[in-house]
Amino acid sequence: MPSTKGFKITYATLAAPAEEVHLAFETAANELQGALGQTHPIWIGGEPSLSEEVFEDRSPTDRRLVVGRFQRASASQAEAAIGAAHRAFGEWSRVPWQERLAILRTAAENISSHRFELAALMSLEVGKSRFEALADAEEAADLLRYYCQQMEDAAGFDRPMGQLAPNEKTRDILRPYGVWVVISPFNFPVALAAGMAAGALVAGNTVVLKPASEAPASAFKLYEIMVEAGLPAGVLNYLSGSGSEVGRTLVQDSRVSGLVFTGSKEVGMEIFRRFNHDRPRPCYLELGGKNPAIVTAKADLEKAAEGVARSAFGFGGQKCSACSRVYVDRSVATAFKELLRERAVALAIGDPLRRESFLGPVINEAAVRKFERCVAEARRDGEILFGGDVLGGEEYEHGFFVTPAAVTGLPEDHWLVRQELFLPFLYLGEVDSLERAIEFSNRSEYGLTAGIFSEDLQEVETFFDSIESGVTYANRRSGATTGAWPGVNPFCGWKSSGSTGKGVCGPYYVSQFLREQSRTLME
Ligand code: NDP
């Protein structure tokens, strides 16, 4: 493998990576071809386990490619995984936090050293471009490092408190809860599974990880890499299977102390209600978005077009942070639309394993059908500015490829303007003022990310102060609304986008996996 030491790709990387990075990715992708189609177990208490049913994980780039065969875990296997995590909790929670951190920091190093393998696997499994996939793997490693650092900076969350009497001493300690269920989505199959699991593990909890059925292979590889770092048996358990089947058991089991979920609002809310039906338990939801970007009359339009195109169409709009609405000042709308169109039609669409591809396939057949419906309704009720085709022909016929679309002329209450679509589909609205743009931006049940393009700092300040989103950016060419990084851009969903009020990637994340105990001793 060529040397790539010291090189790091993030979602905000704009420069072309060095040749060695391409070669390392291509070497990993070639090696992966030889390992496709294998059958993988689930892991319970450090032991492999097989189910009665197996499902195939196929690539969205080419449905003929079977990435792997995975177990459809049964309810009794889910119960067994919870049991294993429950048994492992006592010992793991008593491991001094410094030792836990040493293991998890080794896991972070292992993820970094396997980043090309993980990235190639994600490209194949969910259709990420190589840069997006490398950033996903890098983010996973940095999430682990950042969460370890949080524990260290807080000295294990153990601090002296005040006194009411001279002979009284009180300490305040944050202690782990027990077993956490981690349910992850398909779109950041390594970073999000790693990040949520790491938050729980760093704090001394044990974990049952249930990844999305569209991405069991990436999470499986992650599991192997993390366990190799020295996690004791049962501390991390891996369950592939259907969310609506095995997920139900995980959510209902009373031995589970907490649940952390990233995914759609619909599924998240259903889990939330069921999880707390008979007693309160922490249940953290990171949900969808309908993220706006604002382009004012004082914007650098080149920068704005680049930032919006990257955020709206990168990874086919399949990011919770994807830009899906843009409000442009009417005076610059024509020029902006033209710049955006130029960029969008120039995007290279194709097999994401190939170096020139910016945009791979959307995740599945259902996503293509939904895209067709969105385009048809936009054509009927508004105007298509560009894109909106489903691609066929030699290179595309076995996968799910579409051309990124932008539409305009829809009423603000149209479902295409309100609902999260999770597709390369951008709505563009024209406005007469920044105030109107902010008003429309905030007229959404979601509040995840938002961006503005304006060279006027007063306008930028007005935006920061009035926008109802947890993650905000101004003048970001590398992504109008996307590209958050651990320790740099805390990622907190407001309104229907999340329940925590303290985001992933932010300084308060780990403490949410701990509960407080004050210890008062009279001497
Ligand atoms: P889904 O909500 O469809 O699925 C998420 C996870 O929930 C999967 O593992 C799924 O399993 C599981 N699941 C489904 N039904 C149940 C159930 N009844 N009980 C328990 N678990 C269940 O989301 P996607 O995977 O399609 O991911 C896209 C969504 O994730 C978008 O809405 C996006 O905005 C959001 N997201 C939010 C982020 C944030 O930080 N706010 C970041 C990334 C994504 P299975 O696949 O087997 O059905």
Side-chain angles (χ1 to χ4, degrees):
M1 176 91 54
S3 167
T4 53
K5 216 170 169 20
F7 194 92
K8 183 190 269 188
I9 288 182
T10 72
Y11 306 109
T13 302
L14 285 170
E19 184 62 17
E20 301 88 89
V21 172
H22 282 298
L23 292 177
F25 180 89
E26 282 153 15
T27 306
N30 286 338
E31 283 168 6
L32 187 61
Q33 300 297 331
L36 295 182
Q38 292 175 7
T39 300
H40 301 285
I42 56 183
W43 286 97
I44 300 174
E47 298 292 332
S49 172
L50 300 179
S51 315
E52 276 172 21
E53 277 183 68
V54 168
F55 66 98
E56 283 181 342
D57 175 29
R58 288 176 180 263
S59 173
T61 306
D62 183 339
R63 299 307 284 165
R64 295 168 302 179
L65 287 178
V66 178
V67 180
R69 293 184 172 79
F70 290 85
Q71 312 301 313
R72 195 181 296 283
S74 63
S76 61
Q77 285 174 312
E79 281 163 11
I82 294 165
H86 200 246
R87 284 190 297 281
F89 172 67
E91 205 168 317
W92 178 244
S93 64
R94 283 191 295 274
V95 170
W97 60 265
Q98 294 89 341
E99 286 176 35
R100 285 205 301 270
L101 264 47
I103 295 173
L104 288 158
R105 282 180 166 142
T106 304
E109 292 314 305
N110 292 353
I111 292 171
S112 282
S113 55
H114 286 280
R115 63 191 161 151
F116 290 103
E117 212 176 320
L118 284 165
L121 183 54
M122 282 185 269
S123 276
L124 192 70
E125 187 175 45
V126 298
K128 280 194 180 208
S129 74
R130 66 178 59 179
F131 311 116
E132 292 278 354
L134 275 167
D136 194 317
E138 297 278 17
E139 187 190 3
D142 271 8
L143 280 166
L144 262 69
R145 294 186 187 107
Y146 185 55
Y147 295 159
C148 286
Q149 191 61 45
Q150 261 167 49
M151 194 75 184
E152 196 161 78
D153 289 348
F157 294 100
D158 182 344
R159 58 192 283 176
M161 299 301 289
Q163 285 177 299
L164 289 177
N167 62 337
E168 176 194 284
K169 273 199 187 125
T170 302
R171 272 167 63 214
D172 182 59
I173 306 180
L174 295 193
R175 303 186 64 191
Y177 283 87
V179 178
W180 279 70
V181 165
V182 172
I183 301 180
S184 56
F186 79 84
N187 65 334
F188 286 86
V190 171
L192 287 176
M196 289 188 284
L201 293 171
V202 164
N205 302 285
T206 55
V207 165
V208 176
L209 169 64
K210 206 309 272 177
S213 295
E214 297 286 5
S218 303
F220 183 84
K221 187 76 205 159
L222 173 75
Y223 167 86
E224 287 185 333
I225 291 170
M226 287 185 67
V227 164
E228 248 174 50
L231 286 177
V235 168
L236 177 62
N237 304 275
Y238 167 89
L239 275 189
S240 49
S242 155
S244 52
E245 294 163 15
V246 75
R248 206 160 272 277
T249 310
L250 293 176
V251 173
Q252 269 158 4
D253 197 300
S254 62
R255 292 169 297 172
V256 173
S257 298
L259 187 148
V260 54
F261 168 89
T262 306
S264 61
K265 182 193 166 202
E266 188 191 353
V267 174
M269 287 308 296
E270 195 211 318
I271 288 175
F272 189 79
R273 289 189 198 99
R274 273 195 290 121
F275 193 61
N276 282 316
H277 78 281
D278 64 350
R279 69 181 164 119
R281 292 187 279 182
C283 180
Y284 303 144
L285 308 178
E286 307 288 348
L287 308 174
K290 188 74 181 174
N291 310 297
I294 294 173
V295 180
T296 77
K298 296 175 184 165
D300 173 334
L301 294 184
E302 292 275 349
K303 211 190 278 176
E306 173 107 24
V308 169
R310 284 177 66 99
S311 283
F313 306 135
F315 190 37
Q318 298 169 119
K319 296 184 184 185
C320 50
S321 56
C323 175
S324 49
R325 295 181 290 155
V326 57
Y327 293 107
V328 195
D329 192 279
R330 212 177 295 285
S331 64
V332 294
T334 305
F336 174 76
K337 280 189 262 187
E338 186 49 29
L339 288 169
L340 185 67
R341 194 193 62 78
E342 275 170 20
R343 274 164 184 77
V345 298
L347 295 176
I349 304 172
D351 182 346
L353 283 170
R354 287 220 311 268
R355 94 167 50 186
E356 62 277 12
S357 297
F358 173 84
L359 188 57
V362 293
I363 190 68
N364 53 28
E365 174 87 34
V368 175
R369 297 287 86 85
K370 186 172 177 186
F371 185 76
E372 286 175 326
R373 184 175 155 227
C374 293
V375 170
E377 296 211 16
R379 187 167 283 130
R380 189 192 65 201
D381 300 337
E383 179 196 343
I384 308 278
L385 290 171
F386 55 77
D389 299 314
V390 176
L391 293 170
E394 211 174 305
E395 185 180 355
Y396 305 116
E397 68 181 327
H398 298 293
F400 304 123
F401 293 91
V402 302
T403 60
V407 309
T408 192
L410 295 171
E412 274 297 311
D413 59 357
H414 198 284
W415 72 276
L416 293 171
V417 184
R418 306 258 67 90
Q419 286 184 22
E420 180 184 53
L421 304 173
F422 227 55
L423 290 166
F425 187 95
L426 176 69
Y427 165 69
L428 185 145
E430 294 182 24
V431 289
D432 292 314
S433 65
L434 172 60
E435 288 64 35
R436 195 75 171 141
I438 291 173
E439 185 200 326
F440 283 160
S441 294
N442 288 342
R443 210 186 279 174
S444 169
E445 67 164 318
Y446 294 110
L448 190 51
T449 69
I452 187 171
F453 290 90
S454 169
E455 299 301 307
D456 178 338
L457 281 184
Q458 192 57 51
E459 285 192 341
V460 171
E461 280 308 315
T462 303
F463 164 80
F464 281 143
D465 288 344
S466 358
I467 198 77
E468 294 168 1
S469 300
V471 194
T472 58
Y473 303 100
N475 297 322
R476 202 145 173 274
R477 185 187 284 277
S478 61
T481 60
T482 49
W485 201 257
V488 180
N489 318 96
F491 198 77
C492 176
W494 287 16
K495 296 152 81 175
S496 287
S497 294
S499 71
T500 59
K502 308 280 180 302
V504 174
C505 296
Y508 311 107
Y509 192 67
V510 173
S511 63
Q512 300 176 106
F513 293 87
L514 292 153
R515 55 186 168 182
E516 198 163 25
Q517 183 177 58
S518 68
R519 297 182 170 181
T520 300
L521 172 68
M522 305 304 291
E523 291 173 334

